[in-house]
Amino acid sequence: MVRDSMQTVHDVSTIIRRSPLRRDRFAEIARECPEASVVSLRPLCPTRWTVRAVAFSAAIDGYPAVHECLEEIGNSKVDVAVRASGLAHTLEKGSTYLSLLICKEVFAPCELASTRLQKPGITVSQGLEIISIRLLHMKNLRKEETYDVIWSTMQEKIVSLELEEPKLPRHRNTPRELDRIPNAPQNHRFLTAKDKYRKDFFEIIDKIIGEIENRFYQEGIQQYICLEECILKQPDQWGTDIVETLSMYGINSNDLRLQLEMFPK
């Protein structure tokens, strides 16, 4: 879901922004469209997190204008007409709008954390505090209430923009070879599309939480914090954890105190 949504936003912004004529035409359509609140799209950077949530927001806020602009491009004779026509058909699906909403919801807190972590002068302790707050926010997103709000927002757009209702994908039966294996896992059959996308939404959040924890809560991070604090704090404020960490690296805490006192305060 995330990969497809990112590709869709990237392709849409590339087609419209590549040509000044198409860019101006989109702005004109957006101004005339009452349900569009943006007049320009944002590019989706594949490497920088700080420009992803805004790209999803721009695509959502200008959704009807984007669809109309792509239809015009698809009916023209430009080299990207076929590609634009296919994207216009993709935007007619409610599942596409739902995917954009989910991506915006999960990328926004990650973008905020990334922006703060890149500020100059930030310490490791401050960085971990930012991460702990973002993790708490992500865990709070993993609730039925949050998903219900996202689903309701999509339902409203389906009515106002006449989009297609999300559908369940074709069910894949378990291979017959696995039937001979006792207690073999069976493919789950969802009853509604809402249940299917709820599972996807929770899986995305779980994946993000797991990756953040693996990235920032690595073995040895506490020792690194102690070494950082022994430089930032006055020697008379050192705790036993700092002294023990210094001794682990063969550093005499008394000698280091004398050396640090020589630095200008």
Side-chain angles (χ1 to χ4, degrees):
M1 177 191 294
V2 175
R3 180 176 60 249
D4 293 342
S5 298
M6 292 178 63
Q7 188 64 49
T8 299
V9 172
H10 174 73
D11 292 344
V12 168
S13 62
T14 299
I15 289 177
I16 295 179
R17 290 170 54 88
R18 180 181 297 175
S19 168
L21 293 177
R22 293 196 290 265
R23 192 185 310 146
D24 294 341
R25 179 53 183 159
F26 170 76
E28 181 181 349
I29 294 174
R31 293 189 188 96
E32 297 174 354
C33 182
E35 295 191 16
S37 57
V38 296
V39 294
S40 64
L41 298 176
R42 299 294 299 273
L44 182 64
C45 180
T47 56
R48 295 177 58 198
W49 283 72
T50 53
V51 290
R52 292 185 180 181
V54 291
F56 286 114
S57 297
I60 293 172
D61 296 337
Y63 202 86
V66 171
H67 179 260
E68 183 177 346
C69 184
L70 289 175
E71 280 191 326
E72 286 191 6
I73 298 173
N75 294 328
S76 64
K77 297 182 180 180
V78 296
D79 56 340
V80 293
V82 176
R83 190 177 176 190
S85 179
L87 287 171
H89 178 69
T90 301
L91 295 183
E92 293 173 358
K93 300 178 181 179
S95 58
T96 301
Y97 191 84
L98 176 64
S99 299
L100 295 179
L101 289 175
I102 291 176
C103 288
K104 176 187 175 182
E105 195 71 30
V106 299
F107 272 104
C110 296
E111 175 182 311
L112 181 59
S114 177
T115 302
R116 293 183 176 180
L117 289 174
Q118 295 180 47
K119 289 184 177 180
I122 190 172
T123 64
V124 177
S125 301
Q126 293 171 340
L128 289 180
E129 183 178 357
I130 293 172
I131 292 302
S132 63
I133 295 174
R134 290 303 100 194
L135 282 176
L136 180 61
H137 178 78
M138 294 299 297
K139 292 176 181 179
N140 288 333
L141 285 180
R142 200 186 187 285
K143 294 181 178 179
E144 292 286 343
E145 295 81 1
T146 304
Y147 177 74
D148 289 340
V149 171
I150 296 175
W151 186 266
S152 299
T153 304
M154 179 209 63
Q155 291 288 351
E156 294 175 359
K157 286 298 180 180
I158 286 178
V159 175
S160 61
L161 302 180
E162 298 181 354
L163 305 178
E164 297 179 11
E165 287 279 353
K167 300 178 181 179
L168 281 173
R170 183 178 179 181
H171 180 73
R172 294 183 178 180
N173 295 323
T174 305
R176 294 183 178 180
E177 291 77 5
L178 295 179
D179 293 339
R180 305 173 184 176
I181 303 176
N183 301 323
Q186 301 292 323
N187 290 337
H188 181 74
R189 184 183 293 273
F190 294 96
L191 299 179
T192 63
K194 184 177 181 180
D195 295 337
K196 166 65 171 59
Y197 286 102
R198 179 191 293 108
K199 188 266 297 183
D200 294 340
F201 177 59
F202 288 164
E203 280 187 353
I204 293 171
I205 294 178
D206 292 340
K207 182 67 174 178
I208 292 176
I209 292 175
E211 291 298 325
I212 291 177
E213 290 178 343
N214 292 336
R215 176 65 179 85
F216 290 94
Y217 294 99
Q218 299 182 18
E219 183 180 0
I221 189 65
Q222 292 301 324
Q223 287 82 0
Y224 190 94
I225 292 176
C226 289
L227 293 175
E228 181 184 66
E229 289 181 346
C230 81
I231 301 297
L232 299 178
K233 291 183 177 180
Q234 295 296 328
D236 56 357
Q237 297 177 342
W238 288 358
T240 56
D241 54 342
I242 295 179
V243 176
E244 292 176 356
T245 302
L246 292 175
S247 62
M248 183 177 63
Y249 288 96
I251 301 175
N252 188 293
S253 59
N254 294 325
D255 293 343
L256 183 59
R257 283 191 176 96
L258 295 175
Q259 294 173 6
L260 291 177
E261 289 177 355
M262 299 173 61
F263 284 95
K265 299 182 180 179

